[in-house]
């Protein structure tokens, strides 16, 4: 069975934790998009692990993890991450594979990435990891894939500094190389988890273009970047937080007002630890945007939602959620493609009473306070999608399942 986990907001929804949680019941975990610009934080028995390239299932000793064809991989960052895991007692030998169709990030792309963004009239706010440049080179058919590093003619076309960089990692990369389509065909009866990066609203086609990432962070990307056909995807999970966050520039209709809601923003940011894993940048925070979340459900055919960070709201007297936008003199309930419209939009809010109870130790939906259940029920009804998993803390154990994604 093949299960896909994607972000249903602007990234940073807690996908890493959910993939780690679900990996216990899988044998293979495939990361299908993005690069070292992603950051997945895992907390296991009080220990925190920050992953950027390696799929979250690596912390289970019996799992195989694969960096998929849709990824762009910085070899230096990859082997630094592997060393960090090995130094902390995680044996990765033979368990980390790379699709031979994945593209490589070269060192000079990073400076070019920063330079290009700085020269834009309206910078996007890139991480400077060379991701956008690598995807650009890929689309221009000038990139280099893992499969290409044994192609002498291709290597001769590279700059000397690029060849030298690749040569440093060549043998180690080739030892991890795999024909992903053939590999997954051999393991077609396994439980396979496809891990996305970023989120739907950062997808190159579905997101708030041009304020997006350069890869496919939608569910369709799991088929392309995971080297399987779309009919092979059995279940799609969309992860979202009980509120919304965004990093970098771009529209954010439900963002807390910096003048009147600065205290609320600070509370959510500090309580939810809303700082970028990759950059350390403070995340912009706002109300849960149901207009955007319903859009994510529709565009990804999400079968079940996963709600994280519900516990962040434990102490609030009331909880508000965005149910529509006011744009000019119109009330809009569908997510616009126009950046102008999104920039002009103000949130139409609905207020729910807070539950005023610590949720960290709750392990069953029925044990949640009625107010928290009402909040969840309303989200389900609005989005016409069930919430199958709820997370109320950072640890694996701070999670409970209402609908098992591994059950057909």
């Amino acid at each position: 069975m093949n299960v896909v986990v994607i972000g249903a907001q602007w990234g940073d929804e807690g996908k890493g934790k959910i993939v780690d949680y679900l990996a216990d019941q899988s044998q293979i975990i495939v990361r299908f998009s993005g690069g070292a610009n992603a950051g997945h934080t895992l907390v296991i028995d009080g220990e925190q692990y920050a992953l950027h390239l390696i799929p979250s299932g690596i912390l289970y000793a019996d799992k195989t993890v694969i960096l998929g064809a849709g990824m762009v991989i910085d070899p230096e960052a990859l082997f630094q991450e592997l060393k960090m895991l090995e130094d902390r007692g995680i044996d990765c030998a033979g368990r980390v594979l790379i699709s031979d169709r994945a593209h490589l990030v070269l060192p000079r792309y990073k400076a070019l990435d920063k330079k290009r963004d700085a020269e834009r009239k309206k910078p996007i706010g890139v991480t400077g990891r060379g991701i956008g440049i690598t995807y650009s080179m890929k689309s221009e058919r000038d990139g280099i894939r893992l499969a290409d590093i044994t192609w002498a003619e291709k290597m001769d076309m590279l700059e000397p500094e690029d060849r030298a960089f690749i040569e440093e990692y060549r043998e180690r990369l080739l030892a991890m190389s795999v024909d992903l389509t053939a590999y997954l065909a051999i393991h077609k009866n396994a439980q396979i988890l496809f891990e996305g990066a970023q989120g739907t609203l950062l997808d190159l086609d579905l997101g708030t273009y041009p304020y997006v990432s350069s890869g496919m962070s939608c569910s369709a990307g799991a088929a392309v970047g995971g080297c399987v056909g779309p009919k092979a995807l059995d279940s799609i999970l969309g992860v979202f937080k009980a509120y919304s966050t965004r990093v970098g520039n771009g529209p954010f209709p439900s963002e807390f007002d910096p003048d009147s809601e600065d205290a609320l923003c600070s509370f959510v940011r500090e309580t939810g630890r809303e700082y970028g894993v990759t950059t350390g940048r403070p995340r912009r925070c706002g109300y849960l945007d149901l207009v955007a979340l319903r859009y994510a459900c529709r565009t990804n055919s999400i079968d079940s939602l996963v709600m994280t960070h519900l516990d962040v709201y434990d102490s609030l007297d009331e909880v508000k959620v965005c149910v529509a936008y006011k744009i000019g003199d119109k009330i809009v309930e569908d997510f616009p493609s126009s950046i102008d419209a999104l920039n002009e939009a103000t949130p139409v809010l609905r207020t729910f009473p807070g539950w005023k109870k610590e949720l960290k130790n709750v392990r069953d939906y029925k044990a949640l306070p009625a107010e928290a259940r009402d909040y969840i029920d309303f989200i389900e009804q609005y989005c016409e999608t069930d919430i199958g998993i709820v997370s109320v803390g950072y640890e694996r154990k701070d999670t409970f399942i209402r609908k098992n994604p591994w059950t057909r």
Side-chain angles (χ1 to χ4, degrees):
M1 185 173 182
N2 297 329
V3 173
V4 179
V5 176
I6 61 165
Q9 295 169 309
W10 278 283
D12 307 310
E13 303 95 347
K15 296 181 296 298
K17 178 202 169 171
I18 299 305
V19 170
D20 170 78
Y21 181 77
L22 295 175
D24 185 37
Q25 297 183 61
S26 68
Q27 289 83 50
I28 300 167
I29 300 91
V30 179
R31 164 99 176 263
F32 63 82
S33 67
N37 57 332
H40 292 169
T41 303
L42 312 178
V43 181
I44 312 298
D45 296 327
E47 278 201 69
Q48 182 169 304
Y49 300 82
L51 301 178
H52 300 277
L53 284 164
I54 299 172
S56 302
I58 191 64
L59 298 184
Y60 292 92
D62 59 341
K63 312 301 179 186
T64 297
V65 302
I66 306 175
L67 283 67
M71 289 189 66
V72 291
I73 298 165
D74 177 350
E76 182 180 21
L78 172 63
F79 289 109
Q80 285 177 352
E81 197 165 307
L82 283 169
K83 183 179 185 303
M84 177 273 292
L85 289 169
E86 295 282 358
D87 288 348
R88 297 182 66 176
I90 307 298
D91 184 7
C92 301
R95 297 199 297 120
V96 182
L97 304 175
I98 308 172
S99 167
D100 56 9
R101 287 180 163 83
H103 279 245
L104 302 181
V105 179
L106 301 178
R108 61 187 176 87
Y109 293 175
K110 299 174 186 177
L112 186 56
D113 202 10
K114 294 177 182 177
K115 180 175 181 291
R116 183 174 292 183
D117 198 47
E119 290 174 347
R120 289 187 171 102
K121 291 183 178 179
K122 287 192 174 182
I124 293 169
V126 300
T127 61
R129 299 299 178 102
I131 306 305
I133 299 299
T134 309
Y135 276 118
S136 177
M137 297 286 282
K138 174 181 178 178
S139 66
E140 292 175 3
R141 292 158 289 184
D142 290 321
I144 183 161
R145 306 172 302 163
L146 178 53
D148 299 332
I149 68 175
T150 59
W151 181 12
E153 183 180 359
K154 178 70 174 182
M155 291 294 289
D156 287 344
M157 295 168 63
L158 298 179
E159 299 289 335
E161 63 184 288
D162 295 340
R163 289 199 301 273
F165 174 76
I166 291 172
E167 197 59 38
E168 181 181 352
Y169 299 101
R170 184 178 188 275
E171 296 308 317
R172 282 184 285 174
L173 287 170
L174 290 175
M176 300 163 72
S177 177
V178 65
D179 179 335
L180 185 51
T181 299
Y183 184 91
L184 294 183
I186 293 169
H187 296 87
K188 62 183 178 182
N189 294 321
Q191 303 248 89
I192 302 172
L193 196 56
F194 290 85
E195 175 183 9
Q198 286 81 47
T200 296
L201 302 177
L202 293 176
D203 181 83
L204 185 60
D205 292 297
L206 300 177
T208 51
Y209 185 90
Y211 301 97
V212 293
S213 188
S214 300
M216 295 181 70
S217 47
C218 59
S219 60
V224 178
C227 295
V228 297
K231 288 186 177 180
L233 306 179
D234 298 299
S235 181
I236 297 166
L237 307 185
V239 185
F240 76 102
K241 284 188 281 210
Y243 48 91
S244 299
T245 64
R246 176 163 198 166
V247 172
N249 300 327
F252 188 4
S254 67
E255 186 170 14
F256 295 136
D257 186 296
D259 296 322
S260 61
E261 296 169 326
D262 182 62
L264 179 58
C265 181
S266 296
F267 170 81
V268 169
R269 181 179 291 143
E270 298 304 320
T271 307
R273 305 182 197 177
E274 296 299 348
Y275 294 88
V277 178
T278 301
T279 63
R281 288 184 292 184
R283 295 175 184 141
R284 299 159 63 189
C285 301
Y287 299 108
L288 175 60
D289 186 338
L290 291 186
V291 179
L293 185 59
R294 182 169 61 186
Y295 170 77
C297 291
R298 290 171 172 173
T299 53
N300 291 285
S301 297
I302 291 174
D303 295 296
S304 184
L305 287 164
V306 179
M307 185 182 209
T308 64
H309 290 243
L310 183 60
D311 55 301
V312 170
Y313 277 163
D314 283 356
S315 64
L316 297 186
D317 293 324
E318 61 182 27
V319 174
K320 295 181 180 180
V321 60
C322 172
V323 295
Y325 304 146
K326 186 176 182 183
I327 303 175
D329 58 356
K330 294 182 179 179
I331 299 298
V332 176
E333 295 183 349
D334 292 314
F335 193 72
S337 57
S338 165
I339 298 300
D340 261 352
L342 287 168
N343 282 333
E344 189 182 344
T346 56
V348 177
L349 301 174
R350 172 160 175 169
T351 302
F352 292 82
W355 39 91
K356 306 289 288 183
K357 179 181 178 181
E358 186 176 331
L359 301 184
K360 184 174 174 58
N361 295 318
V362 173
R363 297 294 177 266
D364 181 79
Y365 177 72
K366 294 179 180 178
L368 286 172
E371 294 84 358
R373 294 198 306 271
D374 288 344
Y375 186 53
I376 290 173
D377 291 348
F378 180 79
I379 296 167
E380 290 182 318
Q381 292 167 20
Y382 188 101
C383 295
E384 300 176 326
T385 308
D386 292 339
I387 296 176
I389 300 176
V390 178
S391 169
V392 291
Y394 292 97
E395 296 272 2
R396 280 178 185 161
K397 63 183 180 180
D398 301 330
T399 316
F400 59 87
I401 291 181
R402 302 175 67 202
K403 179 182 177 182
N404 190 339
W406 296 111
T407 302
R408 292 184 186 274

